[in-house]
């Protein structure tokens, strides 16, 4: 089991009413980029939230680094080395860029926050220029950087990104994927949901196609890209 | 009614505004994080004032020394109410918390009355000579209230912008879910928010008692203008509460130039209603 | 305490009459809160309007206050309801489109202002001295009046219960439980909420009028405004909000408990007797918290056609979630 960083096993659960997840499973290995694609409402965001105790899991288990974290409180999950960038509302709008990053290091007690912030400014130089600006007044692309920067502040083992390129211009999309590869090279596993499936699968080691709360396909990034059925259904031909 | 009289009323208004500001900051902070209007806030004011009064009357301590004791009492009772009751109701609708806080208000008020009796009390015995500035008068108590409020507001500002817990409060107020997945221990921040809100309410209560008298109803009567101030500032925005508090305070006192003083709360209410109609999201900005 | 049967009986009639009046007000709150989810904590304000209207309309002409018009009992009830409804309409106009907290704050604001006006404007209701000599209808006999009140309570119950089961009531419930869904279904939320708010407030005014005729005297402090409101809330929640039978049951049970606490505090040493009312309020305040924590759905939970969360019972629904 423990060769996986994250192991989500046959999850069943949802928000209290009907189950949204109906047996979805997924693994992420050390240092891997894994992409989830699938139609709207498939439960992709729900699956991500279920790793953080934000969704009630009735059956199945979430194992992180060999430890069962099913339904664990979010701050305790974060403490164990997994960060999350939600799909929307993923910055603290009234706080400055710097304060957003500081919040990311809220759990950090080793005094390494300042150093880590410098490292993040190297990945996202733009954030350094804008460090005193309120995050709520920034553009969508910049906000996404703030959100990713915030999630990296604890130097996680694994980062979960829910549609990091949604609503961005093509140029920004390209840049975002480059940053993600860069982050991965630092030794951080990446699990992301993407609508820009083609580009995402190109940088992915492996990918999953999720539909109606279940796994539909699962292959290497290249394998999924080559699959004609998937190409027709999800990759826009 | 000449200019001097109006200026004099404005001074009283700023004093009242200081008291309302302290109350409204607490209400606003709590609303920002817990999304409910705390109807026990006024009675925490009363409790803080009486706790300080106990220190003054038994130890003959000066009021400025009793103030922190009152604030600690306000913080402790607020946290206790949260841990005993509100915490268990938090997962239900905010409105249930509202009903519960309404009940809590009556519990606290009756306790105050049981311990200290229903009669009026006063911090200051006799009458301190007011100071004259030209034709204007200011009493030493009023200067204390103003100075104390300025110190407390600056302290709160530094707390919210410089400390880890203060920033976590702002983060929770911005976006609770994101704060939780960022690793912030929501329960801990909530407890600290109750403590801060309770302490500020108690300070407001002590100042109100300095300006007028102590009665078991004093805080409840101040609740409406305090809500008006918080709404004016844009509920959930502590900085707006300062502006709201001053506007309501000055408007209430100035209204006595044309209306019987008994209608001060009505003035506060009227300003609030106009505000709700014209700019429902508060004077400063419009989030959502 | 010597046992005096006729004294006991007249105390019983007194107790029942007030319980029945509270039953009417509790039903009114159930229309607003239980059925619609509108948070009114200015009950005492509407109650006071009703009481003063009844006094002004039915007492003989007097120089010391507005009116009196010397009209019959029924006219007083009508005017009480009409004026309460009108005030509610204006409050609703200002607040029903805003977040629920604002309605709550606006309702205490209004009830506070009503109290201030009644206290300071002598020409309306003789200021703090109040209006006396409000006669009971038909006969001064308390038993006859008890019958009248029970009749009004029954009529109110059937009217409100009918409203609850009507399509109108079903829309209210739908709005309360899933506002967006009902909006999508093309319902005008604002109109329905306004109707429920006005209807509830009219019934509160009716309760106030019944009270005025029973006690025969109204004054700004006669109903301990904050407390009257609070007690009605405890009644509805204890009985079961959303359930009209529960609303009435809650009124009777809590009124008996409340009156019982008086017997209790009367046993206190003489030094503490003046503190009796504070102690009683404390007990009722604690009772409310216990109910909210232990049995938020009340004695008679809301009958619901389908699964879903009601304001009062969502604690459990959430816990299961
Ligand atoms: N907070 C929520 N409460 C209840 N239902 C939700 C919530 N969030 C999402 N859902 C429902 O869960 C389903 C899956 O949503 P989501 O996981 O966001 O899909 P995806 O991210 O794949 O587009 C949808 O039917 C959606 O309506
Ligand atoms: Mg999604």
């Amino acid at each position: 089991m423990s060769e996986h960083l994250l192991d989500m096993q046959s999850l069943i659960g949802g928000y209290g009413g009907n189950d949204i997840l109906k047996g979805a499973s997924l693994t992420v290995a050390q240092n891997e980029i894994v992409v989830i694609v699938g139609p709207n409402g498939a439960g992709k965001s729900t699956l991500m939230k279920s790793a953080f105790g934000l969704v009630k899991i009735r059956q199945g288990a979430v194992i992180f680094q060999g430890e069962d974290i099913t339904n664990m409180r979010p701050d305790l999950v974060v403490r164990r080395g997994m960060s999350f960038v939600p799909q929307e509302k993923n910055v603290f709008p009234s706080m400055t860029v710097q304060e957003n990053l500081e919040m990311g290091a809220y759990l950090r007690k080793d005094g390494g926050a300042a150093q880590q912030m410098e490292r993040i400014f190297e990945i996202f130089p733009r954030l350094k220029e804008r460090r005193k600006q309120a995050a709520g007044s920034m553009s969508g692309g910049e906000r996404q950087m703030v959100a990713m920067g915030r999630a990296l502040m604890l130097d996680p083992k694994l980062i979960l990104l829910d549609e990091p390129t949604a609503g961005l211009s093509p140029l920004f999309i390209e840049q975002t994927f480059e940053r993600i590869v860069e982050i991965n090279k630092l030794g951080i596993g990446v699990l992301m949901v993407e609508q820009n499936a083609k580009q995402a699968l190109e940088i992915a080691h492996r990918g999953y196609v999720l539909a109606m709360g279940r796994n539909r396909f699962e292959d290497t990034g290249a394998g999924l890209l080559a699959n004609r059925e998937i190409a027709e259904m999800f990759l826009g031909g | 009614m000449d200019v001097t009289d109006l200026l004099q009323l404005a001074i009283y208004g700023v004093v009242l505004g200081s008291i309302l500001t302290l109350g409204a900051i607490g209400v606003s902070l709590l609303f920002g994080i817990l999304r409910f209007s705390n109807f026990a806030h006024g009675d925490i004011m009363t409790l803080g004032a009486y706790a300080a009064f106990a220190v003054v009357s038994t130890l003959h301590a000066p009021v400025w020394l009793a103030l922190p004791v009152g604030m600690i009492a306000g913080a402790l009772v607020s946290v206790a109410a949260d841990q005993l009751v509100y915490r268990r109701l938090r997962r239900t609708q905010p409105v249930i918390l509202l009903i519960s806080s309404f009940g809590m208000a009556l519990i606290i008020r009756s306790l105050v009355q049981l311990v200290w009796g229903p009669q009026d009390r006063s911090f200051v015995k006799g009458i301190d000579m007011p100071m004259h500035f030209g034709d204007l008068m200011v009493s030493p108590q009023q200067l204390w209230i103003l100075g104390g409020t300025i110190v407390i507001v600056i302290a709160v500002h530094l707390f919210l912008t410089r400390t880890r817990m203060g920033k976590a409060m702002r983060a929770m107020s911005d976006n609770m879910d994101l704060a939780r997945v960022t690793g912030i221990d929501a329960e801990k921040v909530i407890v600290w928010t109750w403590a801060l809100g309770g302490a500020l309410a108690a300070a407001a209560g002590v100042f109100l008692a300095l300006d007028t008298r102590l009665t078991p109803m004093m805080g409840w009567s101040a609740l409406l203008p305090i809500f008006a101030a918080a709404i004016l500032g844009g509920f959930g925005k502590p900085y707006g509460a300062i502006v709201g508090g001053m506007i309501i305070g000055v408007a209430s006192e100035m209204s006595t130039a044309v209306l019987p003083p008994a209608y001060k709360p009505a003035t506060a209410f009227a300003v609030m209603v106009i505000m709700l109609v014209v700019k429902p999201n508060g004077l400063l900005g419009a989030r959502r | 305490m010597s046992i005096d049967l006729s004294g006991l009986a007249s105390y019983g009639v007194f107790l029942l009459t007030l319980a029945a009046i509270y039953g009417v007000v509790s039903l009114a709150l159930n229309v607003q809160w239980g059925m619609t989810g509108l948070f009114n904590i200015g009950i005492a304000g509407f109650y006071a309007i009703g009481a003063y209207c009844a006094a002004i309309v039915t007492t003989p002409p007097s120089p010391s206050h507005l009116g009196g018009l010397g009209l019959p009992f029924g006219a007083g009830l009508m005017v009480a309801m009409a004026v309460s409804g009108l005030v509610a309409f204006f409050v609703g106009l200002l607040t029903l489109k805003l977040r629920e907290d604002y309605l709550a704050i606006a309702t205490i604001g209004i009830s506070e202002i009503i109290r201030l006006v009644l206290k300071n404007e002598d020409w309306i209701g003789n200021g703090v001295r109040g209006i006396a000599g409000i006669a009971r209808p038909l006969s001064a006999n308390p038993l006859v009046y008890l019958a009248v009140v029970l009749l009004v309570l029954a009529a109110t119950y059937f009217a409100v219960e009918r409203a609850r089961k009507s399509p109108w009531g079903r829309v209210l419930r739908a709005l309360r439980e899933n506002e967006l869904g009902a909006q999508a279904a093309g319902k005008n939320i604002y109109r329905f909420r306004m109707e429920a708010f006005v209807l509830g407030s009219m019934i509160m005014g009716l309760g106030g009028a019944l009270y005025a005729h029973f006690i025969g005297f109204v004054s700004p402090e006669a109903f301990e405004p904050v407390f009257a409101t609070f007690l009605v809330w405890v009644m509805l929640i204890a009985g079961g909000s959303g359930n009209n039978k529960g609303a009435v049951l809650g009124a009777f049970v809590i009124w008996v408990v409340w009156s019982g606490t008086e017997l209790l505090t009367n046993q206190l040493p003489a030094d503490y007797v003046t503190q009796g009312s504070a102690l009683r309020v404390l007990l009722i305040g604690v009772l409310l918290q216990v109910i909210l924590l232990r049995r938020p759905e009340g004695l008679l939970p809301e009958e619901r056609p389908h699964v879903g969360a009601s304001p009062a019972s969502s604690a459990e629904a959430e816990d299961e979630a």
Side-chain angles (χ1 to χ4, degrees), chain A residues 45 87 162-163:
Chain A
S45 297
Q87 186 170 353
D162 196 347
E163 304 206 12

Side-chain angles (χ1 to χ4, degrees), chain B residues 69-131:
Chain B
V69 177
M71 290 173 76
I72 291 171
L76 288 179
V77 172
S78 295
V79 171
D82 178 60
Q83 291 301 302
L84 287 173
V85 181
Y86 303 146
R87 183 170 61 87
R88 301 157 204 249
L89 296 173
R90 243 183 253 139
R91 295 194 53 206
T92 67
Q93 295 183 341
V95 178
I96 301 292
L97 275 174
L98 214 154
I99 301 176
S100 175
S101 75
F102 186 33
M104 198 60 80
L106 280 156
I107 292 177
I108 296 169
R109 199 178 318 155
S110 347
L111 282 174
V112 165
Q113 193 175 328
L114 286 172
V115 175
W116 284 284
Q119 68 274 37
D120 284 13
R121 311 266 189 168
S122 179
F123 271 122
V124 258
K125 293 184 190 71
I127 297 167
D128 277 354
M129 284 316 287
M131 292 177 258

